Amino acid sequence: MTEHLLKILVVGDGNAGKTSFVHRYVSGQFNKTYKMTVGVDFSVKLLQWSDREKVRLQLWDIAGQERFISMTRIYYKGALGCVVMFDVTSSSSFLSCRHWKRDLDDKAMLPNGHPIPCILLANKCDLAQREVTTDSIDKFSKANGFLTWMEISVKENKNVGEAMRRLVQEILSVQ
Ligand code: GDP
Ligand code: MG
C-alpha cells in the first residue's frame, strides 16, 4: 500500500466559498455561516484511491481577504496542487483569479520544475444572478494554464467531489 501526502492550496477572493468548499468536501456538510478564516487553516481528508494507493489530502484554506493579496512563499512551500475559486455572481472575484494564478506560478513549482496543477472552480452556480459567462471562463482557463475548469455549487453539493478527483488525478499523473 502506498500513501501519497498531497498539500493542496485553496485560493480566491473572500466570499468565493473556499471555507464552505473545504468543509463540504471533508465533512459533507454545508453551514450558512463561518468564522472568517484567520491566517491559514488546514483540513485533512483521506481517500482510498485504488487497491494499492491511499491519498492523504491536506487542504490549505487561506485568510478572509476581500481581494487578491500576494501570499508568502512559505504558504506555497511543498504544494502539489491548487484550487482557484471565484463566485459566478461576482465579476471582481473572477478578475482576481488572474492574480491568484500568477502569484502561484511565480512562487511555486513542482520538484521537477513544472507548474503546480491548478483547477479553476466557478462556485455558486445555484444562483441566478450571474455576472460571468461560461465563454469567458473557458477562454480564461485555457489562456492561463489551468488543467480545466468546472462549475460547482458547494451549497447543492454539485461537482465538489468530482472537482477534487480531477485535481488529484492530475497531481498523481505528473508526479
Ligand atoms: P470564503 O471567504 O471564500 O471562505 O467563503 P465562505 O465559505 O465563507 O462563503 C461565503 C458565503 O458564500 C457564505 O455565506 C456561504 O454560505 C456562501 N456560499 C458558499 N458556497 C455557496 C454556494 O455554492 N451557493 C451559494 N448560494 N452560497 C454559497
Ligand atoms: Mg474562508
Side-chain angles (χ1 to χ4, degrees):
M1 183 71 72
T2 320
E3 186 176 304
H4 306 276
L5 173 64
L6 308 181
K7 175 178 172 179
I8 296 179
L9 312 173
V10 183
V11 302
D13 282 2
N15 204 47
K18 302 178 296 298
T19 303
S20 306
F21 175 77
V22 171
H23 191 69
R24 167 68 89 185
Y25 183 60
V26 171
S27 74
Q29 293 173 333
F30 181 76
N31 298 359
K32 275 223 161 98
T33 53
Y34 292 98
K35 284 184 291 180
M36 275 286 238
T37 318
V38 177
V40 176
D41 213 5
F42 77 79
S43 309
V44 174
K45 172 128 174 158
L46 198 60
L47 298 177
Q48 183 72 46
W49 188 254
S50 68
D51 291 350
R52 289 188 284 144
E53 288 167 297
K54 280 187 182 168
V55 173
R56 184 180 295 270
L57 296 174
Q58 243 182 32
L59 295 161
W60 290 56
D61 180 18
I62 58 152
Q65 308 293 333
E66 273 311 306
R67 294 277 188 272
F68 169 75
I69 47 144
S70 178
M71 299 294 293
T72 85
R73 283 177 196 274
I74 292 162
Y75 169 71
Y76 289 112
K77 197 168 191 291
L80 296 176
C82 183
V83 170
V84 175
M85 186 176 295
F86 68 96
D87 167 356
V88 290
T89 69
S90 158
S91 54
S92 67
S93 75
F94 176 58
L95 290 174
S96 290
C97 291
R98 183 182 304 277
H99 303 295
W100 289 110
K101 180 66 163 65
R102 198 165 291 165
D103 200 48
L104 172 76
D105 290 338
D106 283 350
K107 292 177 183 163
M109 59 170 85
L110 295 178
N112 65 15
H114 291 207
I116 308 275
C118 190
I119 193 166
L120 178 65
L121 298 184
N123 189 29
K124 310 196 188 179
C125 70
D126 56 285
L127 297 176
Q129 62 273 28
R130 293 187 180 220
E131 287 189 1
V132 188
T133 66
T134 59
D135 195 43
S136 58
I137 304 168
D138 201 49
K139 283 196 181 114
F140 172 77
S141 168
K142 288 182 174 129
N144 289 276
F146 289 92
L147 68 100
T148 190
W149 73 275
M150 284 169 96
E151 258 186 17
I152 68 166
S153 166
V154 175
K155 185 178 181 186
E156 296 185 344
N157 202 13
K158 188 185 162 206
N159 276 344
V160 171
E162 289 79 357
M164 288 304 300
R165 264 198 297 283
R166 182 68 188 84
L167 179 60
V168 169
Q169 185 186 51
E170 184 74 14
I171 294 170
L172 295 179
S173 75
V174 299
Q175 287 294 291

